[in-house]
Amino acid sequence: MFPTVREVLALDPVRHGAPRVVAGEAGLDRPVRWVHVAEVPDIATLLGGGELVLTTGIGLPGDDAGLRAFIGDLADVGVSGLVVELGRRYVSGVPRVMVATAERRGLPLVELRRATPFVRITEAVHALIVDAQLTELRATEEIHQRFNDLSVEGADAAEVIRQAAELSGCPVVLENLSRQVLGYDPAGESAELLLDGWEQHSRRIRPAGRTAYDLDSGWLVTVVGARGQDWGRLLLRWPASGEVVTRRASEPIAPEVGPPTRLTILIERAASTLALGRLIRRDAEGLERQIHRTLLTALLDHSRPVDEVALRAKALGVVLERRHLVGVMVRHRAEDPVGESGPEAAQARLRDLSEAVGQALREAKLTALTSAVDDNSVGALLALTDPAAEDRALSAFASALRRVRLDAGTGRATSGAEASRATSAGDVPRSAFGADGSRSAFGAEASRSLSGGEASRSAFGADASRSAFGTDAGRVTGGADPSRSAGSAPGGVIVAAGSGVGSLREARRSLVEARQIAEAARRDRRELPIFRLPHVGLAGLLHLLRDEPRLQTFVERELGALLDYDARHPREQLLDTLRAYLEQGRNKTAGAAAAHLSRPAFYERLARIARILDVDLDSVEASLSLHVALLALEAVRTP
C-alpha cells in the first residue's frame, strides 16, 4: 500500500537533490507511511514509526554522543529512513558517527547534495501514499462487492476459494478441524507442492486470534464457522511465493511486516461467505420443485410445522397421520461411475434413480412421499397401516426396485427368496442404536461389558485382532462373500431403511437414520437388499460422522498433542506405535513385534506417549477412548 524508501528516492523532486545512500542500504525496501520534516533532536517522541524524516541538520546535537542517541532514537521508533540536506549544517557530508550508527542499526541514511525544497518532496510522496490508499479502498470495495454477490448467488466453496485466490493472487486453502483439506486454489503454483504433507505443516501454523498472520510460516489464517460452531480454517499464503517475511531482532514488529489490510479483509469476507453458504445451502432446484420434495425437505429441516406437512400430504392422497412411518434412502454406491462426469450427468443419474424409486413404490403398492433429497440420494417415507408389515413392505420395495433397474439395464436382479430371507424378522433385529436407546452399543450395557471379567477378551483382550476394535475391524459385520459385492455390479445402489416410528413428529429421526446408514453402507463390501442399523459397525458409524465438527474435536482432544508431536518429529511417528499397541489388545510384546521394535524401545515410546497425552495406557477406559479416536481419525482421513 505504501511506497518504499527506494521508490521515494526515484521521485523527480528527490532526484533533483542528487541523493546518495551512505548507510542502511539493506533497508531501502521499507515502506514509507508518511514524510516528516524535523529540525529538533528529540523528534522521535512525536513519531509513530514508518516515517521518512527530512532535515537540514541545523538543530542536531554537536557532539558524537548526541548524534548516536538521535540516530538510535529514530531506529527504536521504527522510522523508514533519514534524509539530510547538505549545505546548511553539514557541507561535505554527514558526520562519520551518524553513518556508523545508522549502518549498525540498519537505518537508511541519505544525503541530498543539492538544495531541494522539502515541500516538493512531501507533496510528491504524499500524493503517492494517497493514491495507494485510494487503490486500497477500491480493492476493498471490490472485495466486499464480490463476496456479497457470491453470498447472494449461493456459490459453493470451490468458487469462493477460487475468487479469494484470484483477488489476492495468493494460494488459498480451506481445511477442517482435523487439518484435512476441503478445498484449495494454488493461484497458478504447484498444487502438489502446496499440499505435500499438509496436515503436519498445518499443525505448525498457530496464529494468535481468530484472524491473524503467522510470521514464522507466512500464512494468514482465519477461523470458519457461525453460531458458535467452528468447523474449519481458511488460510492464505503471503507473500504468494512462500518466502517468509523476516526482520532484524532489534526491529520492532510493525504492521508492515504482515500482509496488507485488504488481504485480512478478503480472507475474513471469504470465511463469512463460506460459513453463510454452509448454513443456508440447499439442494439447488428450481421453484417448480415437486410437492413431495417440499414436504420431505420440511420434515428433514423443520422448515414447516408437522401439522401443515400432514395436511398437504393428505391432499396429495398420502395419509401420514396414525400410520407406521419408515424412512428409506436409496443412493448409488459410487459417487462418480466410470464414463460419467460433470453436473449434467450427475443430475440425469439422480433423476433416473428417482424415477426408478417411484415406479418401484407403485409396483409394490406402497404409499409414500418420495423425491431426491440431496445430490446423491432419493428419499422415501413409507406410510404403513400395520407396523407388523414393515419387513414385508421393505422386502417388496427392494425386490421391485431391483426389477425396475434390471429392466432398465442398470443393475443385477436379486431373487425374491433371497430378498425375503435378508429382510425377514429374524435377520433384521431391532436396532442397537434405535428407539431402545438403553440397550445401544454405547448405553449402560456397554459400560457393563467392559467392567466384568470378560473385559480382557473384548476390544482390548487377547482376541482383540478379531474384535470390532482389532485389525479385522473391516470384517465386523461379516458373513458375506466379497465377490458378491454390490460395488462390483454395474450401477449398484444401496437401499437403507431407518427404524419405524409411530408418529409424523418422529419421522425425521427415521429419515436421518436411513441417510446415515446409506452413507455408512458405502464402506460395506456386502450386497444386502436392505441395509438396517444393525449392519453398521463402529467403523461405519464413525465414517458417517466424519464431517461432524464434534467428532473432529474429539479426535483433536484425544490425539491432538500426539499429532502435533509427530508433526514436529516426523521420524518418530508415535501415532503408529500407539496404533500397534491398541490393535494388539494392549499386549506390549505383540505390539513391539507388530511395530518392528525391540521391547525396551517400544516400552520407552509408550511411556513417552503417556506423558504427551497425559493418560494411563493401562486403563481400559482411556485405551478405549484412544482407540475410538484412532478409528475416527482414519474415518476423517478417508474420503
Side-chain angles (χ1 to χ4, degrees), residues 396-570:
F397 168 69
S399 298
L401 180 61
R402 287 173 180 267
R403 286 195 302 271
V404 168
R405 301 191 72 248
L406 180 64
D407 291 342
T410 58
R412 180 171 63 87
T414 300
S415 69
E418 181 181 354
S420 176
R421 287 196 301 272
T423 55
S424 66
D427 288 340
V428 186
R430 288 288 177 252
S431 167
F433 300 94
D436 188 9
S438 62
R439 296 190 177 276
S440 73
F442 296 96
E445 293 294 317
S447 61
R448 289 198 294 272
S449 69
L450 289 175
S451 61
E454 290 299 313
S456 62
R457 298 183 62 80
S458 66
F460 299 93
D463 294 332
S465 63
R466 293 190 296 275
S467 72
F469 297 91
T471 55
D472 290 347
R475 297 200 297 271
V476 66
T477 53
D481 182 359
S483 65
R484 298 179 63 245
S485 167
S488 62
V493 297
I494 294 168
V495 181
S499 303
V501 296
S503 72
L504 187 57
R505 297 187 184 278
E506 298 176 284
R508 180 181 184 276
R509 176 167 61 84
S510 184
L511 288 167
V512 170
E513 184 179 293
R515 174 186 280 172
Q516 293 174 340
I517 294 170
E519 175 65 21
R522 294 175 56 211
R523 293 170 59 92
D524 198 309
R525 300 179 62 189
R526 298 172 298 166
E527 181 182 7
L528 298 179
I530 300 281
F531 280 90
R532 305 300 296 267
L533 205 46
H535 302 130
V536 179
L538 178 60
L541 176 65
L542 294 174
H543 176 75
L544 63 88
L545 294 175
R546 67 191 184 281
D547 293 326
E548 171 59 46
R550 285 174 292 185
L551 180 66
Q552 297 172 9
T553 301
F554 167 75
V555 173
E556 289 298 305
R557 185 175 66 245
E558 295 293 319
L559 300 174
L562 192 61
L563 293 169
D564 290 343
Y565 181 91
D566 280 354
R568 296 191 303 269
H569 306 84

Side-chain angles (χ1 to χ4, degrees), residues 115-135:
T116 302
F118 283 174
V119 65
R120 294 182 182 175
I121 297 177
T122 57
E123 285 177 347
V125 176
H126 292 168
L128 273 182
I129 294 173
V130 171
D131 185 66
Q133 289 174 332
L134 287 175
T135 301

Side-chain angles (χ1 to χ4, degrees), residues 245-257:
V245 179
T246 59
R247 63 182 178 89
R248 288 183 173 85
S250 61
E251 292 180 345
I253 299 178
E256 292 78 18
V257 170

Side-chain angles (χ1 to χ4, degrees), residues 580-615:
Y581 171 67
L582 296 177
E583 287 183 349
Q584 297 302 319
R586 297 188 298 127
N587 185 317
K588 295 181 179 178
T589 301
H596 305 290
L597 294 170
S598 66
R599 281 186 291 178
F602 189 77
Y603 297 163
E604 190 278 333
R605 285 192 170 207
L606 289 180
R608 201 182 323 158
I609 292 171
R611 288 195 301 271
I612 293 171
L613 297 179
D614 192 24
V615 297

Side-chain angles (χ1 to χ4, degrees), residues 8 163 178 201 220 244 261 295 299 314 442 490 528 564 568:
V8 169
Q163 294 281 0
S178 293
H201 177 64
L220 177 61
V244 178
T261 304
L295 299 181
L299 290 174
K314 185 176 182 180
F442 296 96
L528 298 179
D564 290 343
R568 296 191 303 269

Side-chain angles (χ1 to χ4, degrees), residues 37 42 88 123-124 143 203 217 286 328 392 418 443 459 470 513 515 522 529 535 542 561:
V37 179
D42 58 347
R88 288 179 171 83
E123 285 177 347
I143 289 169
R203 291 182 180 280
S217 64
V328 176
R392 186 168 60 254
E418 181 181 354
E513 184 179 293
R515 174 186 280 172
R522 294 175 56 211
H535 302 130
L542 294 174

